[in-house]
Amino acid sequence: MKFFVDTADVKEIKELHQLGLVDGVTTNPSLILKSGGKITEVTKQICDIVEGPVSAEVVATEFPQMIKEAKVLAKIAKNVCIKVPLTLDGLRACRAIRNDLGRMVNVTLCFSANQALLAAKAGASFISPFVGRIDDTGSDGMELISEIRQIYDNYDYPTEILTASVRTVNHVKQAALIGADVITAPPATLRALVSHPLTDKGLAAFIADWAKTGQKIA
Ligand code: E4P
């Protein structure tokens, strides 16, 4: 399973990259706002750190303008993956970006299996179902991941399932059990994956016993 980090915070990305936890990055307009930077500059800084796909989102809602924006974003670096919304214009742009610009496309804001089917047919590199936002409505976001997995496997679609809107470490575990290709999670959630109280307790006991031996590993 690939781990993407869902942030435009360059410092966080650098730190997680050093830990070997970053196979790619996803950003969106809200995360760019939070970063306080200019989309082209922030995306360039991220691409200088991370070799894998770095999603940068178009904000236009109509096809011609989406393509114009995609061209600007694509120029930033070779690993920029253009993110488009799951609308009819977005799907048309997805096909054109893949065929004419030869770039990866992440189709975002997916909330149904049929939307995911359309994205696969449009040649999306990644589909981003938003599990946390589905959970917020009282439904089960992970059911959608299972449905998409089954549909993509039924037809051998190469589109990768990028589990997005991840809020908890349990989302990560469930996505891995279902067989999602990628999760994108906020830095804090990625870091929390390592935590277990018994690990902390066990380590404290080992350190205490080691001190009593008076030995050193030199
Ligand atoms: C990722 O591509 C999405 O933009 C992101 O995961 C959305 O997460 P949120 O629902 O926590 O805003």
Side-chain angles (χ1 to χ4, degrees):
M1 179 186 241
K2 291 175 208 163
F3 280 9
F4 288 2
V5 59
D6 197 25
T7 186
D9 183 327
V10 175
K11 191 172 161 274
E12 289 273 26
I13 292 168
K14 220 177 251 172
E15 283 175 20
L16 288 166
H17 184 257
Q18 280 166 353
L19 295 172
L21 286 178
V22 182
D23 299 310
V25 174
T26 51
T27 67
N28 62 37
S30 308
L31 293 170
I32 294 293
L33 171 70
K34 209 169 154 194
S35 78
K38 208 177 158 212
I39 184 166
T40 46
E41 287 163 16
V42 175
T43 307
K44 172 82 178 84
Q45 285 168 21
I46 298 171
C47 290
D48 286 345
I49 302 166
V50 177
E51 281 177 22
V54 174
S55 290
E57 189 161 341
V58 300
V59 289
T61 53
E62 289 180 11
F63 173 77
Q65 193 58 29
M66 280 180 176
I67 297 300
K68 267 191 194 162
E69 292 180 0
K71 285 180 179 164
V72 172
L73 296 173
K75 267 194 206 134
I76 298 171
K78 283 205 172 94
N79 55 331
V80 169
C81 170
I82 311 295
K83 210 172 178 189
V84 299
L86 220 158
T87 59
L88 289 174
D89 282 63
L91 292 170
R92 185 178 165 200
C94 173
R95 207 169 270 116
I97 294 164
R98 287 306 306 267
N99 295 343
D100 305 338
L101 304 185
R103 303 304 291 247
M104 295 178 284
V105 183
N106 175 356
V107 179
T108 190
L109 289 166
C110 172
F111 294 94
S112 81
N114 281 333
Q115 287 181 321
L117 178 57
L118 288 172
K121 284 180 74 62
S125 320
F126 301 99
I127 180 70
S128 289
F130 278 32
V131 293
R133 293 193 195 186
I134 293 174
D135 287 357
D136 290 345
T137 67
S139 297
D140 182 359
M142 281 302 154
E143 260 176 41
L144 176 58
I145 302 299
S146 297
E147 288 175 355
I148 301 172
R149 182 72 283 154
Q150 191 181 330
I151 290 167
Y152 283 9
D153 289 349
N154 285 347
Y155 298 97
D156 281 334
Y157 283 123
T159 302
E160 293 188 54
I161 303 173
L162 197 174
T163 307
S165 189
V166 162
R167 307 260 170 86
T168 65
V169 290
N170 199 40
H171 278 149
V172 179
K173 181 176 85 174
Q174 292 302 325
L177 285 169
I178 293 164
D181 303 281
V182 192
I183 53 111
T184 188
T189 309
L190 283 181
R191 284 201 178 87
L193 291 174
V194 78
S195 299
H196 196 288
L198 291 180
T199 304
D200 298 342
K201 194 177 164 196
L203 184 60
F206 286 155
I207 289 170
D209 285 345
W210 182 251
K212 289 177 205 157
T213 69
Q215 297 179 42
K216 273 202 172 113
I217 303 175

